[in-house]
Amino acid sequence: MDNYARKAMSLDEEDTLRDFRDQFVNDTDLIYLDGNSLGKLPKRAVDISARMVEEEWGGRLIRGWNEGWMELPRRIAAKIGGIVGAQEDEIFVGDSTTVNLYKLAFASLAFQSGKDKVISDELNFPADLYVLQGLIEHQFNDHTLKLLRSKDGITISGDKLRELMDKNTALLVLSHVAFKSSFMYNMEQVNRTAHDKGALVIWDLSHAAGAVPVELNKTDSDMAVGCTYKYLNGGPGAPAFLYVRRDLQGKLVNPVTSWFGHSRPFDFELEYDPASSVQKFAAGTPAVLSMAAIEPGLDLVLEAGIERIRNKSVRQSQFIIELINDILPGHGFRLASPSDSRQRGSHVSVQHGEAYRISRAMIEPSDNSRIVIPDFRPPDNIRLGISPLYTSFADIHYSVSRIARIVENREYERFGSEKPWVT
Ligand SMILES: *Cc1c(COP(=O)(O)O)cnc(C)c1O
């Protein structure tokens, strides 16, 4: 056993979150480092989903709405609020992250009429930029989208952000943790800078919620969106959430004026009258089955506590970086995430000219090596996601050693560069 294997073993022994791993459905042949893209299945979600389908949908039919389905989104909202530092009545759960961002960005630009500048950064998730581009093309034609550039492809400078903002800045849309490099903004500082100029901020928490401490209220955040299928383990395509600060709720309009956002949906009035609460941001009927499947993942995060999760995540990402620096040099790899953990989320990216084929070899070993699932982001990033609730230090040690072996033995040469639909 080498020194790092021994170190991994003792870190796992000391780990107070170690037992959470058994709360998930695990395949022992497989090391999963992609919880930042799709979290694992909590065992309790299997039972809950089966019960919801058989007993509630199958047995109760329409009566289910009055036997708990209507309260379900509020209960989930309260739990998400507990994870991101917001009040229950500031969170709406439903729709996708993209749709929620569209609703809030529309509302912000309508509210900030007279200001025509929208700011994001080039490390942001492209879908978020598409939403802003579409809004400007189809609705807010006078607006321009300015993208903060990254000097190193990894971080965004706070000074550059301040320079770009002026009194015409209506809105900032930023990912708290960048999907590729894992760069993490200082939320409080950005909010303060934006508010000084009278700009609103929408945070995308998709790569943050459940992985890093988020304090929406304490940092004076205006709005946020985020998904539940990454570190919150809510299941593929699970309903997303949005947050709107209480005092902004009355000022913002939802461009999707739906009956579930009406103040009295079951009066079936012909005139739209928005709910006064955050419920006005609904865009239709809640997805009850997938909503119910989110709850076990949230409960696990709440039981573990975000501080303990973050603490382990930092130690694990430091361990990955230590291994990358020690085992991978000479193999053509470069760390593509911030080396300072205060600026880093819960995944670590490495770059390599053969990143795509290396990630294929990790997923489809030709010998009896264990399968390691990372993900690939073009052009040359391998993302190694850490989900402290189920990732062990031994997993990390095995995975980095496996990457080194693949490159040493040129195992990636078995693969072509054609890509499947989802990477
Ligand atoms: C995963 C992710 C999304 C996903 O949006 P969908 O509407 O669920 O497709 C959005 N933004 C960021 C930053 C993400 O990481």
Side-chain angles (χ1 to χ4, degrees), residues 276-289:
S276 56
S277 67
V278 75
Q279 181 61 29
K280 78 199 234 185
F281 293 102
T285 309
V288 173
L289 296 180

Side-chain angles (χ1 to χ4, degrees), residues 67-179:
E67 295 171 358
W69 297 352
M70 284 304 265
E71 284 98 71
L72 183 60
R74 301 275 8 116
R75 196 167 74 233
I76 303 288
K79 290 184 177 180
I80 291 175
I83 292 170
V84 298
Q87 307 306 306
E88 166 186 352
D89 62 1
E90 294 174 314
I91 304 274
F92 164 78
V93 190
D95 306 320
S96 66
T97 305
T98 308
V99 170
N100 286 336
L101 177 62
Y102 172 80
K103 291 183 287 192
L104 294 187
F106 180 104
S108 303
L109 298 185
F111 176 65
Q112 296 272 58
S113 64
K115 300 184 179 199
D116 58 9
K117 193 152 134 186
V118 183
I119 295 177
S120 187
D121 70 53
E122 66 173 357
L123 302 182
N124 203 353
F125 198 64
D128 292 22
L129 303 181
Y130 304 158
V131 166
L132 300 174
Q133 289 163 10
L135 274 169
I136 291 172
E137 183 170 342
H138 303 298
Q139 272 138 340
F140 296 91
N141 303 141
D142 298 336
H143 288 61
T144 46
L145 173 63
K146 300 270 186 205
L147 286 190
L148 279 154
R149 301 286 162 193
S150 167
K151 242 179 25 204
D152 52 7
I154 297 175
T155 57
I156 298 284
S157 131
D159 292 340
K160 285 273 170 329
L161 176 60
R162 262 187 295 281
E163 279 166 31
L164 195 59
M165 293 217 305
D166 56 33
K167 60 181 189 342
N168 286 322
T169 306
L171 178 67
L172 266 67
V173 176
L174 302 171
S175 285
H176 183 31
V177 174
F179 81 104

